[in-house]
Amino acid sequence: MLLAAVLVCIAQPGATEPSTKAVKANVIDLFNRAEDMQDMLSAGKISPQQIPNPHWRADSCKACHRAAPTANDVALRSKDINQLCQSCHDAISATKYIHAVGMEPSNEKRNRMPEQFRQAVKRGGGVITCISCHDLHMQCKQERFEERRENRFFFRGGPYRKRTDLCFNCHNPKNYERLNPHDQITDEGELNQVVCLVCHTVAPNRRSAKSINDVMFTIKNDLTQVCVGCHKWRPHPSQPAEVSAPGKNHLVKPSPAVLRQMKATEKAQNLILPLEPDSGRIICATCHNPHERGVQRDPRADVGADGFNRLRLQPGEIMCMSCHNL
């Protein structure tokens, strides 16, 4: 299965639409050049949609192996397992992926691990790598392809009922309590500034901060990433069409007409519809209020806090009309 519905061939100038056979041959060629994938992408020779998915298919061995694997030599294209995965995937980071890589597990975590996890860490050089959690054998051996139905990301030891069940192969659940970043006021009625640091680099000064432009965030260039790190649900009407159900992408800079309507709504409803400071784009917090009631000193900024889906406006036609003149 390809990332795109149909892989587009890298056509030569003047070439006609490729046949099914030509498309398949081109996919195999890309697998043979897996280590060049990111350079080709950067140079504009291929688009992200043209990167073929090597997982769960029997003809993609060359994407990871330079030759047929043997008991003595798996013949991987790169000795660095993470680098091998990054031939197609983005650079692995703690902010984008569930688990960072490169750290050595403590003795406590090693002792908790099932044997297959310990062996995977050993194969990764004694540190956490992609294969610590992902069982590559599952998705490359055709006799195991049926497992894709219940474990499409080939999680080691899976399938799991909850994502955290995978984590607790190594981590002791008694040491962890799920943090709700929206629970920002203590039982004593004080602001819990530690929780503020989930989204902000510095806890905002509530007396001097007048708007979203006066606070700093842990992510600078795309504030939607602050939210989607936890909220993974799809589809969502404000998500780009390529990662959601077909529909309008709301996460854009509003047109002058839409911006005028938003300003009119703010005045009429006595609320604030914040935009991303630098870009002026609509973000998750434009429609949803991420704060607990009472955190914001300005009552206009407090609208929607702790309400239904934390919406600043009630769902339905009135929400659409806050931006669009119907």
Side-chain angles (χ1 to χ4, degrees):
M1 193 72 181
L2 302 181
L3 292 181
V6 177
L7 183 67
V8 180
C9 180
I10 306 175
Q12 298 299 321
T16 59
E17 185 175 338
S19 66
T20 303
K21 183 176 180 181
V23 169
K24 184 176 181 180
N26 187 65
V27 171
I28 301 303
D29 178 62
L30 287 174
F31 286 148
N32 289 336
R33 303 178 60 189
E35 65 272 10
D36 300 327
M37 202 82 74
Q38 290 295 338
D39 289 339
M40 294 168 67
L41 189 64
S42 299
K45 295 181 179 179
I46 59 173
S47 67
Q49 291 74 27
Q50 286 177 282
I51 298 178
N53 185 350
H55 303 302
W56 303 106
R57 55 186 296 165
D59 61 350
S60 61
C61 300
K62 288 293 184 70
C64 299
H65 301 275
R66 63 180 184 277
T70 66
N72 297 323
D73 183 10
V74 293
L76 291 175
R77 286 182 173 273
S78 173
K79 293 182 179 179
D80 185 331
I81 294 171
N82 299 326
Q83 186 62 48
L84 184 64
C85 297
Q86 287 168 205
S87 297
C88 299
H89 295 276
D90 291 336
I92 300 167
S93 66
T95 57
K96 185 164 185 178
Y97 288 88
I98 295 173
H99 203 296
V101 297
M103 70 282 295
E104 183 177 351
S106 65
N107 289 333
E108 177 190 1
K109 290 182 175 61
R110 285 181 183 275
N111 292 335
R112 284 188 59 85
M113 289 181 190
E115 181 60 24
Q116 63 167 308
F117 282 80
R118 279 194 289 270
Q119 290 301 320
V121 170
K122 183 178 179 180
R123 292 198 300 274
V127 298
I128 299 298
T129 62
C130 301
I131 66 168
S132 300
C133 297
H134 296 279
D135 185 353
L136 297 189
H137 291 152
M138 184 188 304
Q139 53 80 49
C140 66
K141 291 188 175 181
Q142 195 161 4
E143 61 269 23
R144 298 188 65 181
F145 281 5
E146 281 296 317
E147 297 181 49
R148 183 181 186 180
R149 295 176 181 270
E150 296 183 339
N151 193 1
R152 66 191 184 103
F153 294 120
F154 42 98
F155 286 131
R156 188 172 298 283
Y160 295 98
R161 188 174 65 87
K162 296 183 297 184
R163 186 173 67 180
T164 49
D165 290 340
L166 167 64
C167 307
F168 293 144
N169 280 298
C170 305
H171 297 271
N172 188 341
K174 294 181 179 179
N175 297 335
Y176 298 89
E177 181 179 351
R178 190 174 180 88
L179 173 68
N180 181 357
H182 305 294
D183 187 9
Q184 299 149 357
I185 297 178
T186 67
D187 293 339
E188 291 74 30
E190 301 293 331
L191 180 67
N192 187 344
Q193 295 195 4
V194 173
V195 176
C196 297
L197 300 181
V198 173
C199 301
H200 299 283
T201 54
V202 178
N205 186 324
R206 293 191 292 165
R207 294 185 182 276
S208 61
K210 303 300 182 183
S211 72
I212 192 174
N213 298 294
D214 300 325
V215 298
M216 294 183 291
F217 294 91
T218 54
I219 294 177
K220 296 181 179 180
N221 298 323
D222 184 3
L223 290 187
T224 60
Q225 296 302 317
V226 175
C227 303
V228 299
C230 295
H231 298 283
K232 299 286 187 182
W233 290 280
R234 301 288 189 272
H236 190 286
S238 67
Q239 292 297 328
E242 63 267 18
V243 296
S244 181
K248 181 68 175 176
N249 173 17
H250 285 79
L251 305 180
V252 296
K253 186 174 181 179
S255 67
V258 169
L259 187 59
R260 284 195 299 271
Q261 184 72 8
M262 292 175 69
K263 294 300 181 184
T265 297
E266 288 182 323
K267 184 176 181 179
Q269 300 290 334
N270 197 32
L271 51 76
I272 293 176
L273 300 173
L275 299 173
E276 193 168 55
D278 293 331
S279 69
R281 291 181 301 190
I282 293 170
I283 54 176
C284 304
T286 303
C287 299
H288 301 274
N289 194 330
H291 297 100
E292 190 169 3
R293 187 174 298 279
V295 169
Q296 302 278 27
R297 295 292 179 89
D298 186 340
R300 298 176 305 153
D302 206 35
V303 174
D306 290 340
F308 174 72
N309 285 342
R310 300 185 174 275
L311 289 169
R312 298 182 188 271
L313 289 157
Q314 292 300 309
E317 183 176 314
I318 190 171
M319 174 175 256
C320 298
M321 292 175 64
S322 66
C323 299
H324 303 283
N325 188 348
L326 301 181

